[in-house]
Amino acid sequence: MPQEAVPDQVAPEQPKGLLQQMEELMAALTADLTRLDADLQSSADRLPPPDAAPVSPPAPAQGTGSPAP
């Protein structure tokens, strides 16, 4: 498996300005909200319409009344 070359020493980055940090945070937040919206939309598509009749749970099976040995 080939390995990527990793430099021994990473050059120090210039400190980011406040505006650049805010823009990066807003971009990350927007991406997260877009993903959340897509998840909510797909889960809403799986729900029955609000005017549909509620589904009742199945009735319990009727036994003989005596426990099995």
Side-chain angles (χ1 to χ4, degrees):
M1 175 169 83
Q3 294 184 357
E4 295 179 16
V6 178
D8 292 334
Q9 194 173 23
V10 177
E13 289 186 26
Q14 288 289 92
K16 295 179 183 178
L18 183 58
L19 182 59
Q20 184 179 357
Q21 290 178 2
M22 295 281 292
E23 288 174 347
E24 290 174 2
L25 288 171
M26 289 300 295
L29 178 61
T30 301
D32 288 345
L33 289 175
T34 301
R35 192 175 317 116
L36 177 62
D37 184 50
D39 289 346
L40 289 173
Q41 292 295 327
S42 67
S43 65
D45 292 343
R46 292 189 298 255
L47 293 175
D51 59 347
V55 177
S56 301
Q62 297 295 325
T64 59
S66 60

